[in-house]
Amino acid sequence: MVSAVHLSGLDPASARAALGHAGFDSAAAVYGVDLYRLEYRTIDAAGRPTTASGLLALPRSRARALWTVSFAHGTESYRPDAPSSLEPSGFLSAPAVTYAAAGFATVAPDYLGLGQGPGAHPWMDVPSETTASLDLLRAARSFVPGTGRRLERKVLVTGFSQGASAALGLARAVQAGADRRFELAGVAPISGAYEFQRAELPALLDGRITGKTAVAYTAYLLVAWNRLHHLYRSPGEVFRAPYADRVDALFDGSTPGLKMLAALPDSISQLLTSRGLALLKQPNQQFRQALQVADSVCADWATQSPIRLYQAAGDEQAVTDNTAGCHSAFAARQVNAPVVELGTPDYHGSRHLGSAVAGTADIVRWFTQVSRAA
């Protein structure tokens, strides 16, 4: 722990109102909630000491020992757009309020480079998402006794979009014994890009993911992974003018999301040079190795805890081939990972975002059943 700040306290009615304002289901909200921002020590993507921040939400229940839910959020590029920086009614903080109001201690990592953390965010870097998530669990474990409660060993893990891969990375680490004070009790990722090389990249290139969304994901991937894996020597090799001169700054955490989108072109062909397109179609060695790490979250372990994979039909951002591939990878290791179909949920015109809302409503009920059955 570096610091802890009490952000807000909600009575049950206020918790339900915050969820309703965010567009989330409040049916499971029984308790009031206290929200804290925790800053804590962790390591960066290169293994060097750094700090990160995250949200801790505690129920105002009579329980002295609490199960913990870890929720990993979806893609953001602007530093203040992180769970610990948003109001309780924010899209990224509402899941934490949902689980806490249902009686769980809940942690939501901001990830490296978002919230109060220094540096740029290493987008879709599962190893650093895993360590940031695990170290937030440790920070919460050290903080919670000061509130008169304690955390049980049982941890339920979920996440949305980018956070779906982060959730599986954390679950894999907890099951492998990364910290014996925690025990994996259930896993429920929503709408993840688990098959980036075999599913998500082809969808970006063939037009199934369209417009500014495809452009932003492509630019974010190349910029963030070049910082980590040295995919190219200069932006002009892969990005066309005038975007080559601006992409690094657009994804350094200082540009609001809408401003970032406005500064990008409308299509990948306008964004990338022929060399940039070739890099996506035929990744070089560094890129292939990084993709293999990202795509390992379903492929190289067999969970011993109950798991469900959530998806929405016709997801316009994380194509459903991702979940199909994840399901098959677990099945190959004799893991029953049923796919929960969420139908066609809508959130401001997005089925992808809608899956976060619909998935959270289902998962909080399932997690409650899992905890009661233990």
Side-chain angles (χ1 to χ4, degrees):
M1 280 288 301
V2 174
S3 67
V5 177
H6 185 256
L7 300 173
S8 60
L10 307 173
D11 60 27
S14 298
R16 289 190 289 270
L19 293 174
H21 186 270
F24 281 69
D25 187 355
S26 62
V30 177
Y31 304 106
V33 176
D34 283 297
L35 300 171
Y36 302 85
R37 178 191 297 122
L38 303 185
E39 288 189 60
Y40 58 98
R41 293 180 179 86
T42 186
I43 55 173
D44 67 13
R48 297 168 300 209
T50 189
T51 59
S53 58
L55 182 67
L56 169 65
L58 295 177
R60 290 181 170 178
S61 66
R62 294 182 178 179
R64 298 297 92 187
L66 302 170
W67 281 39
T68 305
V69 170
S70 176
F71 169 76
H73 68 80
T75 295
E76 296 293 343
S77 60
Y78 184 43
R79 187 180 303 279
D81 290 339
S84 76
S85 299
L86 298 176
E87 294 296 322
S89 58
F91 183 82
L92 272 67
S93 52
V97 174
T98 298
Y99 296 116
F104 298 100
T106 307
V107 292
D110 294 337
Y111 306 141
L112 299 180
L114 297 176
Q116 305 299 306
H121 172 52
W123 185 62
M124 288 297 294
D125 180 55
V126 174
S128 66
E129 292 166 351
T130 299
T131 52
S133 299
L134 181 59
D135 287 339
L136 178 57
L137 279 173
R138 290 166 168 153
R141 186 178 180 87
S142 70
F143 171 78
V144 168
T147 70
R149 274 80 61 84
R150 63 179 177 85
L151 299 185
E152 296 273 20
R153 294 183 66 225
K154 304 284 190 178
V155 178
L156 298 154
V157 178
T158 181
F160 163 65
S161 192
Q162 174 188 353
S165 290
L168 287 171
L170 174 63
R172 177 175 57 186
V174 172
Q175 180 173 288
D179 190 320
R180 296 294 181 183
R181 295 172 297 178
F182 302 113
E183 178 184 335
L184 185 64
V187 192
I190 309 168
S191 303
Y194 319 109
E195 299 273 328
F196 221 105
Q197 184 167 9
R198 292 179 291 274
E200 199 70 3
L201 276 181
L204 287 168
L205 292 169
D206 67 19
R208 281 176 289 159
I209 303 173
T210 61
K212 293 277 192 178
T213 298
V215 172
Y217 280 150
T218 301
Y220 206 175
L221 178 69
L222 291 174
V223 169
W225 283 22
N226 188 58
R227 292 173 182 145
L228 297 176
H229 307 296
H230 311 295
L231 306 182
Y232 51 84
R233 287 179 300 230
S234 68
E237 294 179 17
V238 296
F239 295 105
R240 294 182 181 274
Y243 311 108
D245 293 332
R246 66 178 68 156
V247 286
D248 281 346
L250 291 177
F251 295 100
D252 67 1
S254 64
T255 305
L258 292 178
K259 186 176 179 181
M260 175 269 289
L261 290 173
L264 291 172
D266 294 326
S267 69
I268 291 177
S269 62
Q270 293 173 305
L271 174 74
L272 297 181
T273 64
S274 58
R275 182 170 178 177
L277 285 169
L279 181 62
L280 293 182
K281 293 176 181 177
Q282 294 183 317
N284 60 25
Q285 182 178 0
Q286 300 97 305
F287 199 5
R288 284 198 309 273
Q289 290 173 343
L291 287 165
Q292 288 169 1
V293 172
D295 291 349
S296 70
V297 291
C298 305
D300 67 355
W301 68 300
T303 177
Q304 299 163 6
S305 301
I307 180 172
R308 293 179 175 182
L309 307 175
Y310 286 76
Q311 70 173 15
D315 190 315
E316 80 284 359
Q317 296 186 39
V319 294
T320 54
D321 289 350
N322 284 288
T323 300
C326 186
H327 172 79
S328 296
F330 277 122
R333 290 178 172 263
Q334 288 74 54
V335 174
N336 179 28
V339 176
V340 178
E341 301 286 353
L342 296 169
T344 58
D346 177 83
Y347 187 90
H348 298 289
S350 170
R351 289 188 185 178
H352 184 61
L353 298 180
S355 71
V357 177
T360 299
D362 191 271
I363 292 166
V364 70
R365 293 191 293 269
W366 183 52
F367 280 176
T368 299
Q369 293 170 2
V370 169
S371 66
R372 288 175 177 171

